[in-house]
Amino acid sequence: MNKINKSVNVPQSLLHGSKDATDKIRQEIREGKRVKFGNLYKADDVKELLKKDQHGKCAYCERYLNGDYGAVEHYRPKGGYIQSCDDVLHKPGYYWLTYDWNNLLYSCDRCNTSYKRNLFPLVNDADRNIADEDISKEEPLIINPAMEDPGDHIEFHQYMVCPKRVGDTDDIKGNTTIAIFHLNSDNELLNKRRKAWIKYMKMLELLNLARKKADKGDNEDKSIAIRIRQIVDDFSSEESEFTGMFKYQYKQKP
Ligand SMILES: [Zn+2]
């Protein structure tokens, strides 16, 4: 997971249509009708901007999203919420945030549909105030990579994600996020991260050899070392898959 720098400018379709669409939902809830969520939150310009801001990667697992694979995901679930896996679905959800740019992320189908679903645990469930549309007291247990630095809650031990340690205990938000998105137990994801990690370590080894050669060598040897250094740096660039993991390594051992 990596910090997302989301565009400040809200996509046009949300800017112009979200107020009316949200009022319509409020009306349906007041009248006890079944809420019909429109497609505005996944309009083309919304999808495109989210994809661009996230460099084509899932907000949670950092897998590349290829083609149309992926979904506009509501950080706070729009239709209903679940505090924990053994909880029942509570309705309504955070309906007034359905078209709120700050509540939208782009994620892979697995993170969105298979893992997170309507889960939105809080440190204290009693702080949830859906009736007044008030989220000011909430302390969510899922990291929002667009609103905070995931590095405050998680770290990496090689290619495994771990919660940060707070004194003698694990960071609860880090721990919950890792568990919900199966960040260490989704085999396909783990395999991808492991392969990327092995490739990175091989390039580091090559860089060390090239540097040694460059110390005693000519300009050509030096330019080879510089080129390899650029390839190593690319692993932690925003465009790479699993930037969060490589950024963490980079901080530990530049
Ligand atoms: Zn994902």
Side-chain angles (χ1 to χ4, degrees):
M1 203 179 264
N2 183 40
K3 175 84 177 74
I4 295 165
N5 292 315
K6 217 164 155 184
S7 296
V8 179
N9 294 330
V10 177
Q12 288 295 311
S13 51
L14 292 180
L15 204 59
H16 297 302
S18 63
K19 192 187 173 300
D20 286 351
T22 308
D23 285 346
K24 185 178 157 285
I25 295 175
R26 278 199 188 92
Q27 180 77 13
E28 285 167 345
I29 287 178
R30 251 197 315 270
E31 292 170 1
K33 288 182 181 166
R34 189 167 166 270
V35 177
K36 289 190 207 109
F37 295 102
N39 286 332
L40 188 64
Y41 68 86
K42 48 183 173 182
D44 286 347
D45 59 340
V46 179
K47 258 189 187 177
E48 282 313 308
L49 193 56
L50 285 173
K51 247 181 163 176
K52 184 173 164 281
D53 287 351
Q54 294 177 204
H55 304 277
K57 295 179 284 183
C58 169
Y60 299 115
C61 72
E62 271 208 275
R63 264 184 279 229
Y64 278 135
L65 292 154
N66 298 317
D68 284 330
Y69 174 71
V72 175
E73 126 87 6
H74 291 86
Y75 174 67
R76 284 181 164 81
K78 63 186 187 310
Y81 67 88
I82 297 170
Q83 166 69 12
S84 62
C85 286
D86 53 4
D87 193 11
V88 293
L89 181 67
H90 302 273
K91 284 188 170 185
Y94 298 82
Y95 58 87
W96 71 99
L97 302 176
T98 303
Y99 311 105
D100 186 326
W101 176 237
N102 290 323
N103 194 40
L104 303 179
L105 293 166
Y106 206 52
S107 89
C108 71
D109 285 336
R110 203 170 290 187
C111 285
N112 178 46
T113 314
S114 304
Y115 295 152
K116 183 165 172 280
R117 299 165 289 127
N118 288 294
L119 273 165
F120 197 70
L122 301 180
V123 171
N124 185 359
D125 194 21
D127 289 337
R128 208 183 308 261
N129 186 358
I130 300 280
D132 295 322
E133 300 183 0
D134 180 8
I135 57 169
S136 61
K137 289 199 174 69
E138 290 189 351
E139 287 181 72
L141 284 171
I142 293 178
I143 297 168
N144 183 341
M147 303 295 271
E148 62 195 318
D149 185 353
D152 291 342
H153 303 283
I154 56 169
E155 56 189 35
F156 289 86
H157 294 177
Q158 296 191 344
Y159 56 88
M160 301 296 281
V161 194
C162 306
K164 279 200 125 170
R165 295 288 288 174
V166 188
D168 285 339
T169 52
D170 290 340
D171 181 287
I172 186 173
K173 198 171 195 174
N175 227 352
T176 311
T177 303
I178 292 167
I180 286 178
F181 294 105
H182 296 236
L183 294 181
N184 285 330
S185 52
D186 179 301
N187 282 338
E188 190 208 315
L189 175 65
L190 201 58
N191 211 21
K192 274 193 158 193
R193 243 183 16 237
R194 188 177 61 84
K195 278 187 182 164
W197 166 259
I198 290 170
K199 207 169 163 187
Y200 173 75
M201 292 309 285
K202 282 181 181 164
M203 287 313 299
L204 268 189
E205 205 182 309
L206 201 59
L207 178 61
N208 285 333
L209 288 174
R211 274 174 169 167
K212 272 183 200 158
K213 203 162 183 290
D215 283 346
K216 295 178 246 161
D218 55 19
N219 280 344
E220 197 185 338
D221 290 324
K222 286 187 176 76
S223 64
I224 289 171
I226 290 168
R227 180 70 196 111
I228 296 174
R229 175 74 211 212
Q230 285 165 348
I231 296 171
V232 169
D233 287 349
D234 281 347
F235 279 88
S236 56
S237 77
E238 296 301 325
E239 286 75 27
S240 297
E241 207 166 24
F242 313 124
T243 309
M245 171 172 75
F246 293 115
K247 266 192 192 165
Y248 182 78
Q249 302 307 330
Y250 211 82
K251 269 190 229 158
Q252 309 305 305
K253 208 192 289 174

